[in-house]
Amino acid sequence: ELDEALLVRFGRSSGGALAPVSSFIGGVAAQEALKAVTGKFTPLRQFLYWDALEALPAPPPAAAECAPRGDRYDGNRAVIGEAALGALRRGRYFVVGAGALGCEWLKCLALLGAATDGGVVHVTDMDQIERSNLNRQFLFRPSDLGAPKSTAAAAKCAQLNPAFRAVAHEAAVGAPGSPFDDAFWGGLDGVISALDNVAARLHVDRMCVLHRKPLLESGTAGTKANTQVVLPGLTASYGASTDPPDDDIPVCTVKAFPYVLEHCVQWARDLFEAQFVQAPRRVNAWAARPDALAAELGQRGA
């Protein structure tokens, strides 16, 4: 027996496109391409089914709300309707962290049309862009090296959508004297957390619960990742469960501002490794093969 309501929702949404869904499909396609090129991992040899019906408005918007209007948001409008699109445009959001996940969230917000009609997206990150960031934090380019991540990410999203309004910060959430006071939290419509340490994630979670703001909690560590939607009063909060202690030290924090004992020790170890292990190893390799040095300098344009 066919579910008529489901077929109607599928028919309407199939005529549109949402940036987060496109990002997921693109990520899966890229993953399968890498599997084929490297031969290191087993590719998918079956059907992959995935849906995000929970992202659709309930009840479904009327057909007139989803009708095209000849602007760049017709693909979004066909899926979520004009009312939800208008709420996104007028919303005030806070993205905490502008690393690999933060770049993805900011890109999706810009392409969805968030903060383009009276709204604003605040983004904060204390780190500066390092060369090692360029392989996964796709908003950044070599010309951005040394720039604050939040500032560069906001500027890149403005290029994706000139109407997108973002305000960049370099302050830590929860730090004394930061601009993120009770009035700031109270004026938000939603929060996205993309942090790399548990303490800061717990603080963001507490503030969202205190001010009853919806939170999309997310994080990555190597090949591991997690997401959690927190709706105060309806779902469990991030702090309701206990994460294992942080075994890994965030590389960005070590390079930009090592402020605890463990970070300082790791910073010293990295510096020793670079100066007394890696550099002599490269010199020895060049001495053994002068042609390798010439090839490397040629690649650098020297």
mmCIF file with all atom_site columns, all heavy atoms in Angstrom, residues 71-82:
data_model
loop_
_atom_site.group_PDB
_atom_site.id
_atom_site.type_symbol
_atom_site.label_atom_id
_atom_site.label_alt_id
_atom_site.label_comp_id
_atom_site.label_asym_id
_atom_site.label_entity_id
_atom_site.label_seq_id
_atom_site.pdbx_PDB_ins_code
_atom_site.Cartn_x
_atom_site.Cartn_y
_atom_site.Cartn_z
_atom_site.occupancy
_atom_site.B_iso_or_equiv
_atom_site.pdbx_formal_charge
_atom_site.auth_seq_id
_atom_site.auth_comp_id
_atom_site.auth_asym_id
_atom_site.auth_atom_id
_atom_site.pdbx_PDB_model_num
ATOM 1  N N   . ASP A 1 71 ? 14.387 33.449 -8.329 1.00 0.00 ? 71 ASP A N   1
ATOM 2  C CA  . ASP A 1 71 ? 15.605 33.896 -7.656 1.00 0.00 ? 71 ASP A CA  1
ATOM 3  C C   . ASP A 1 71 ? 16.486 32.689 -7.333 1.00 0.00 ? 71 ASP A C   1
ATOM 4  O O   . ASP A 1 71 ? 16.147 31.542 -7.643 1.00 0.00 ? 71 ASP A O   1
ATOM 5  C CB  . ASP A 1 71 ? 15.287 34.701 -6.391 1.00 0.00 ? 71 ASP A CB  1
ATOM 6  C CG  . ASP A 1 71 ? 14.469 33.905 -5.380 1.00 0.00 ? 71 ASP A CG  1
ATOM 7  O OD1 . ASP A 1 71 ? 14.501 32.657 -5.417 1.00 0.00 ? 71 ASP A OD1 1
ATOM 8  O OD2 . ASP A 1 71 ? 13.768 34.520 -4.552 1.00 0.00 ? 71 ASP A OD2 1
ATOM 9  N N   . ARG A 1 72 ? 17.624 32.921 -6.688 1.00 0.00 ? 72 ARG A N   1
ATOM 10 C CA  . ARG A 1 72 ? 18.585 31.858 -6.419 1.00 0.00 ? 72 ARG A CA  1
ATOM 11 C C   . ARG A 1 72 ? 18.099 30.867 -5.369 1.00 0.00 ? 72 ARG A C   1
ATOM 12 O O   . ARG A 1 72 ? 18.734 29.828 -5.156 1.00 0.00 ? 72 ARG A O   1
ATOM 13 C CB  . ARG A 1 72 ? 19.921 32.449 -5.986 1.00 0.00 ? 72 ARG A CB  1
ATOM 14 C CG  . ARG A 1 72 ? 19.901 33.189 -4.672 1.00 0.00 ? 72 ARG A CG  1
ATOM 15 C CD  . ARG A 1 72 ? 21.295 33.707 -4.301 1.00 0.00 ? 72 ARG A CD  1
ATOM 16 N NE  . ARG A 1 72 ? 22.224 32.624 -4.046 1.00 0.00 ? 72 ARG A NE  1
ATOM 17 C CZ  . ARG A 1 72 ? 23.546 32.778 -3.961 1.00 0.00 ? 72 ARG A CZ  1
ATOM 18 N NH1 . ARG A 1 72 ? 24.088 33.969 -4.136 1.00 0.00 ? 72 ARG A NH1 1
ATOM 19 N NH2 . ARG A 1 72 ? 24.329 31.741 -3.695 1.00 0.00 ? 72 ARG A NH2 1
ATOM 20 N N   . TYR A 1 73 ? 16.992 31.173 -4.712 1.00 0.00 ? 73 TYR A N   1
ATOM 21 C CA  . TYR A 1 73 ? 16.509 30.321 -3.625 1.00 0.00 ? 73 TYR A CA  1
ATOM 22 C C   . TYR A 1 73 ? 15.354 29.412 -4.061 1.00 0.00 ? 73 TYR A C   1
ATOM 23 O O   . TYR A 1 73 ? 14.720 28.781 -3.220 1.00 0.00 ? 73 TYR A O   1
ATOM 24 C CB  . TYR A 1 73 ? 16.068 31.182 -2.452 1.00 0.00 ? 73 TYR A CB  1
ATOM 25 C CG  . TYR A 1 73 ? 17.132 32.135 -1.975 1.00 0.00 ? 73 TYR A CG  1
ATOM 26 C CD1 . TYR A 1 73 ? 16.958 33.514 -2.058 1.00 0.00 ? 73 TYR A CD1 1
ATOM 27 C CD2 . TYR A 1 73 ? 18.345 31.663 -1.470 1.00 0.00 ? 73 TYR A CD2 1
ATOM 28 C CE1 . TYR A 1 73 ? 17.949 34.394 -1.639 1.00 0.00 ? 73 TYR A CE1 1
ATOM 29 C CE2 . TYR A 1 73 ? 19.342 32.528 -1.053 1.00 0.00 ? 73 TYR A CE2 1
ATOM 30 C CZ  . TYR A 1 73 ? 19.139 33.902 -1.144 1.00 0.00 ? 73 TYR A CZ  1
ATOM 31 O OH  . TYR A 1 73 ? 20.119 34.769 -0.732 1.00 0.00 ? 73 TYR A OH  1
ATOM 32 N N   . ASP A 1 74 ? 15.079 29.337 -5.364 1.00 0.00 ? 74 ASP A N   1
ATOM 33 C CA  . ASP A 1 74 ? 13.966 28.497 -5.821 1.00 0.00 ? 74 ASP A CA  1
ATOM 34 C C   . ASP A 1 74 ? 14.168 27.031 -5.438 1.00 0.00 ? 74 ASP A C   1
ATOM 35 O O   . ASP A 1 74 ? 13.209 26.328 -5.104 1.00 0.00 ? 74 ASP A O   1
ATOM 36 C CB  . ASP A 1 74 ? 13.801 28.621 -7.337 1.00 0.00 ? 74 ASP A CB  1
ATOM 37 C CG  . ASP A 1 74 ? 13.001 29.855 -7.737 1.00 0.00 ? 74 ASP A CG  1
ATOM 38 O OD1 . ASP A 1 74 ? 12.370 30.466 -6.849 1.00 0.00 ? 74 ASP A OD1 1
ATOM 39 O OD2 . ASP A 1 74 ? 13.007 30.214 -8.935 1.00 0.00 ? 74 ASP A OD2 1
ATOM 40 N N   . GLY A 1 75 ? 15.408 26.551 -5.487 1.00 0.00 ? 75 GLY A N   1
ATOM 41 C CA  . GLY A 1 75 ? 15.669 25.160 -5.116 1.00 0.00 ? 75 GLY A CA  1
ATOM 42 C C   . GLY A 1 75 ? 15.359 24.904 -3.655 1.00 0.00 ? 75 GLY A C   1
ATOM 43 O O   . GLY A 1 75 ? 14.784 23.866 -3.300 1.00 0.00 ? 75 GLY A O   1
ATOM 44 N N   . ASN A 1 76 ? 15.723 25.844 -2.771 1.00 0.00 ? 76 ASN A N   1
ATOM 45 C CA  . ASN A 1 76 ? 15.391 25.717 -1.351 1.00 0.00 ? 76 ASN A CA  1
ATOM 46 C C   . ASN A 1 76 ? 13.894 25.828 -1.129 1.00 0.00 ? 76 ASN A C   1
ATOM 47 O O   . ASN A 1 76 ? 13.304 25.090 -0.332 1.00 0.00 ? 76 ASN A O   1
ATOM 48 C CB  . ASN A 1 76 ? 16.097 26.806 -0.549 1.00 0.00 ? 76 ASN A CB  1
ATOM 49 C CG  . ASN A 1 76 ? 17.606 26.751 -0.678 1.00 0.00 ? 76 ASN A CG  1
ATOM 50 O OD1 . ASN A 1 76 ? 18.170 25.694 -0.907 1.00 0.00 ? 76 ASN A OD1 1
ATOM 51 N ND2 . ASN A 1 76 ? 18.261 27.896 -0.543 1.00 0.00 ? 76 ASN A ND2 1
ATOM 52 N N   . ARG A 1 77 ? 13.297 26.791 -1.820 1.00 0.00 ? 77 ARG A N   1
ATOM 53 C CA  . ARG A 1 77 ? 11.860 27.052 -1.647 1.00 0.00 ? 77 ARG A CA  1
ATOM 54 C C   . ARG A 1 77 ? 11.019 25.837 -2.035 1.00 0.00 ? 77 ARG A C   1
ATOM 55 O O   . ARG A 1 77 ? 10.004 25.539 -1.400 1.00 0.00 ? 77 ARG A O   1
ATOM 56 C CB  . ARG A 1 77 ? 11.474 28.273 -2.493 1.00 0.00 ? 77 ARG A CB  1
ATOM 57 C CG  . ARG A 1 77 ? 10.064 28.777 -2.269 1.00 0.00 ? 77 ARG A CG  1
ATOM 58 C CD  . ARG A 1 77 ? 9.791  30.033 -3.073 1.00 0.00 ? 77 ARG A CD  1
ATOM 59 N NE  . ARG A 1 77 ? 10.525 31.181 -2.545 1.00 0.00 ? 77 ARG A NE  1
ATOM 60 C CZ  . ARG A 1 77 ? 11.556 31.757 -3.172 1.00 0.00 ? 77 ARG A CZ  1
ATOM 61 N NH1 . ARG A 1 77 ? 11.970 31.282 -4.338 1.00 0.00 ? 77 ARG A NH1 1
ATOM 62 N NH2 . ARG A 1 77 ? 12.156 32.799 -2.630 1.00 0.00 ? 77 ARG A NH2 1
ATOM 63 N N   . ALA A 1 78 ? 11.456 25.114 -3.066 1.00 0.00 ? 78 ALA A N   1
ATOM 64 C CA  . ALA A 1 78 ? 10.692 23.952 -3.516 1.00 0.00 ? 78 ALA A CA  1
ATOM 65 C C   . ALA A 1 78 ? 10.647 22.869 -2.454 1.00 0.00 ? 78 ALA A C   1
ATOM 66 O O   . ALA A 1 78 ? 9.716  22.055 -2.417 1.00 0.00 ? 78 ALA A O   1
ATOM 67 C CB  . ALA A 1 78 ? 11.316 23.393 -4.798 1.00 0.00 ? 78 ALA A CB  1
ATOM 68 N N   . VAL A 1 79 ? 11.632 22.847 -1.553 1.00 0.00 ? 79 VAL A N   1
ATOM 69 C CA  . VAL A 1 79 ? 11.701 21.799 -0.541 1.00 0.00 ? 79 VAL A CA  1
ATOM 70 C C   . VAL A 1 79 ? 11.055 22.232 0.769  1.00 0.00 ? 79 VAL A C   1
ATOM 71 O O   . VAL A 1 79 ? 10.248 21.488 1.352  1.00 0.00 ? 79 VAL A O   1
ATOM 72 C CB  . VAL A 1 79 ? 13.174 21.388 -0.295 1.00 0.00 ? 79 VAL A CB  1
ATOM 73 C CG1 . VAL A 1 79 ? 13.254 20.299 0.773  1.00 0.00 ? 79 VAL A CG1 1
ATOM 74 C CG2 . VAL A 1 79 ? 13.809 20.908 -1.584 1.00 0.00 ? 79 VAL A CG2 1
ATOM 75 N N   . ILE A 1 80 ? 11.386 23.426 1.257  1.00 0.00 ? 80 ILE A N   1
ATOM 76 C CA  . ILE A 1 80 ? 10.938 23.822 2.600  1.00 0.00 ? 80 ILE A CA  1
ATOM 77 C C   . ILE A 1 80 ? 9.864  24.903 2.593  1.00 0.00 ? 80 ILE A C   1
ATOM 78 O O   . ILE A 1 80 ? 9.272  25.182 3.636  1.00 0.00 ? 80 ILE A O   1
ATOM 79 C CB  . ILE A 1 80 ? 12.135 24.290 3.455  1.00 0.00 ? 80 ILE A CB  1
ATOM 80 C CG1 . ILE A 1 80 ? 12.780 25.529 2.848  1.00 0.00 ? 80 ILE A CG1 1
ATOM 81 C CG2 . ILE A 1 80 ? 13.148 23.176 3.606  1.00 0.00 ? 80 ILE A CG2 1
ATOM 82 C CD1 . ILE A 1 80 ? 13.907 26.109 3.695  1.00 0.00 ? 80 ILE A CD1 1
ATOM 83 N N   . GLY A 1 81 ? 9.600  25.522 1.446  1.00 0.00 ? 81 GLY A N   1
ATOM 84 C CA  . GLY A 1 81 ? 8.547  26.525 1.382  1.00 0.00 ? 81 GLY A CA  1
ATOM 85 C C   . GLY A 1 81 ? 9.036  27.921 1.749  1.00 0.00 ? 81 GLY A C   1
ATOM 86 O O   . GLY A 1 81 ? 10.080 28.099 2.386  1.00 0.00 ? 81 GLY A O   1
ATOM 87 N N   . GLU A 1 82 ? 8.250  28.921 1.375  1.00 0.00 ? 82 GLU A N   1
ATOM 88 C CA  . GLU A 1 82 ? 8.643  30.308 1.572  1.00 0.00 ? 82 GLU A CA  1
ATOM 89 C C   . GLU A 1 82 ? 8.650  30.715 3.042  1.00 0.00 ? 82 GLU A C   1
ATOM 90 O O   . GLU A 1 82 ? 9.506  31.509 3.467  1.00 0.00 ? 82 GLU A O   1
ATOM 91 C CB  . GLU A 1 82 ? 7.688  31.229 0.797  1.00 0.00 ? 82 GLU A CB  1
ATOM 92 C CG  . GLU A 1 82 ? 7.942  32.716 0.962  1.00 0.00 ? 82 GLU A CG  1
ATOM 93 C CD  . GLU A 1 82 ? 9.342  33.123 0.504  1.00 0.00 ? 82 GLU A CD  1
ATOM 94 O OE1 . GLU A 1 82 ? 9.912  32.440 -0.370 1.00 0.00 ? 82 GLU A OE1 1
ATOM 95 O OE2 . GLU A 1 82 ? 9.863  34.130 1.022  1.00 0.00 ? 82 GLU A OE2 1
#
